[in-house]
Amino acid sequence: MKRIGLLTSGGDAPGMNAAIRAVVRSGIYFGMEVYGVERGYAGLIEDNIIPMEMRSVSNIVQCGGTRLRTARCLEMLTVEGQKKALDTLEKHGIEGLVVIGGDGSFRGAETLSKYGVPTIGIPGTIDNDLEYTDYTLGFDTAVNTCLDIINKLRDTMTSHERVSVVEVMGRHCGDIALYSGIASGAEIIVVPEITFDIHEIVSRINRSRASGKHSNIIVVAEGVMSAEKFAGQLQELTEYSVRPTCIGHVQRGGSPSMSDRMLAAQFGNKAVRLLNENVGNRVVGIRDNKIIDMDIIEAVSMKKTFNYELYETLQMISM
Ligand code: ATP
């Protein structure tokens, strides 16, 4: 393969730039020309293609966001849109494509593979909502951002003896809430995978206060309800002062953590190694600390499972 393309799609995630760098540099190592597609599938359909050189990716390994920018593109769901995307690839002689994004972006990649373009997916999404890989790119940084904010909230909540309800991202997957809850020492997490009982939560708060605790942290995934709404419901049932905080889009930004930069380097390199062997229709990931690849359809059809053991751990050690 002599010429490959690269795009970022769906929600952005810290580490996407480091992955772009790894793909471009690995491609050049194998003697390929690498083309960047701006704004995901929208840019592919609209022919927004730029050549990427060794120096185009200098000084971005530490940057959040994505230099190629990203978009959600409804036209890619139509056959006409897909044909336009294929025309752009053909026009530029692009023989293989690396797609960095979540499961939706992988479905787009699978479609292009079906039309005969070898495509490799890199899991770039803060949600960690893909079952086939232990971690997605951006998750670690997003959780660290949540930890930084929860640490600060704990200071003020303790001074005022308040209950803090913190809303983190995760529409269907509670991993950001689970990991940031455990790592910040939150007493309670509320996730889409588990039905919650507000009276049980009130009892836990009361028990912790009776044992000498001066504040409480409750981490709520956005897919359950907003911090504002949850805090309102809780305030009706408790004498302690409850304060909502929505962390919001800050979670998507910032310099990637060491873990995310390492994943980016390895995922990007593996994706290009596969294309160099003319292998397509795969996604890369990490399992049991080993970089793996898997059929795209198989990967996107796996249902994400929740780590109940970690949830129990939180319940046992946070009180
Ligand atoms: P995130 O996890 O951050 O939401 P994502 O990649 O899952 O990222 P989506 O909005 O679901 O985000 O998908 C990104 C883009 O992928 C869509 O806007 C669309 O252009 C393309 N896409 C999604 N599903 C398909 C599909 N079935 N066929 C072709 N393209 C698709």
Side-chain angles (χ1 to χ4, degrees), residues 18 30 44 59 69 82 100 148 200 208 230 240:
F30 284 117
L44 196 56
N59 217 4
R69 302 197 297 285
Q82 292 160 8
I100 308 174
D148 188 39
E200 167 57 20
S208 75
F230 192 92
Y240 303 114

Side-chain angles (χ1 to χ4, degrees), residues 230-242:
F230 192 92
Q233 289 187 9
L234 192 60
Q235 192 63 83
E236 307 259 298
L237 301 169
T238 181
E239 72 205 60
Y240 303 114
S241 160
V242 184

Side-chain angles (χ1 to χ4, degrees), residues 7-24:
L7 60 83
T8 50
S9 166
D12 65 345
M16 280 184 163
N17 279 321
I20 291 171
R21 170 180 178 268
V23 169
V24 170

Side-chain angles (χ1 to χ4, degrees), residues 160-163 198 201-203 205-207 209-210 213-214 216 231-243:
H160 288 272
E161 305 189 323
R162 286 175 173 150
V163 178
I198 195 118
I201 289 172
V202 172
S203 303
I205 292 169
N206 291 340
R207 277 201 301 275
R209 294 291 175 129
K213 203 148 192 172
H214 295 293
N216 302 91
Q233 289 187 9
L234 192 60
Q235 192 63 83
E236 307 259 298
L237 301 169
T238 181
E239 72 205 60
Y240 303 114
S241 160
V242 184
R243 290 287 192 274

Side-chain angles (χ1 to χ4, degrees), residues 41-42 45 71-78 81:
Y41 292 116
I45 288 168
R72 303 197 196 263
C73 168
L74 289 178
E75 206 182 344
M76 188 60 191
L77 303 177
T78 67

Side-chain angles (χ1 to χ4, degrees), residues 9-13 16 40-42 45 70-78 82 99-112 124-127 129-130 171 252:
S9 166
D12 65 345
M16 280 184 163
Y41 292 116
I45 288 168
T70 184
R72 303 197 196 263
C73 168
L74 289 178
E75 206 182 344
M76 188 60 191
L77 303 177
T78 67
Q82 292 160 8
V99 170
I100 308 174
D103 62 332
S105 304
F106 286 178
R107 286 178 207 279
E110 203 274 326
T111 306
L112 295 173
T125 168
I126 63 165
D127 291 340
D129 57 353
L130 296 167
R171 272 167 294 164
R252 287 198 183 281

